[in-house]
Amino acid sequence: MTQPSTNAIVRARDWMFRDRGTGAITVAQWPNPPLWLFLGLTLAAWLARSAEPIASWLGIAADLALGWWAIDELVRGVNPWRRLLGLATLIGLAALVTLRSGG
């Protein structure tokens, strides 16, 4: 068996993680508005956990904000890694919502 050349590994890494706009390696970024919204709504739902139905509505809003972020990453992600992250989040969110609804 032959070892893949270092050059091929570097090309694969660059393809997966390099920002197409800036050329920088991008694995994670500062949260953008949908993620800040998700984090804030999740915290609010947790703080309001004893006040139904407010906590449920906040949880639904948090799920929507996370879905917004995931779709945005899937469509406009700066590299394939970010797009895969959006896709994985959408799949996980869909599974979570399905499990919560009893389906």
Side-chain angles (χ1 to χ4, degrees):
M1 253 194 207
T2 62
Q3 293 284 0
S5 72
T6 304
N7 197 21
I9 294 170
V10 169
R11 281 196 320 270
R13 180 208 62 203
D14 285 350
W15 177 81
M16 182 64 110
F17 297 107
R18 195 156 302 274
D19 183 324
R20 301 305 190 255
T22 66
I25 296 289
T26 305
V27 176
Q29 297 172 309
W30 284 101
N32 50 20
L35 265 187
W36 282 119
L37 189 59
F38 165 72
L39 293 172
L41 289 166
T42 300
L43 177 62
W46 181 77
L47 291 172
R49 64 189 177 275
S50 62
E52 287 295 332
I54 294 169
S56 292
W57 286 107
L58 288 169
I60 291 168
D63 289 347
L64 290 171
L66 186 60
W68 172 20
W69 173 84
I71 290 168
D72 188 45
E73 283 296 334
L74 182 61
V75 173
R76 296 184 321 127
V78 298
N79 57 34
W81 165 251
R82 300 292 298 181
R83 291 176 183 200
L84 284 172
L85 191 59
L87 178 62
T89 301
L90 273 179
I91 292 169
L93 186 59
L96 184 63
V97 169
T98 301
L99 287 172
R100 278 190 204 142
S101 68

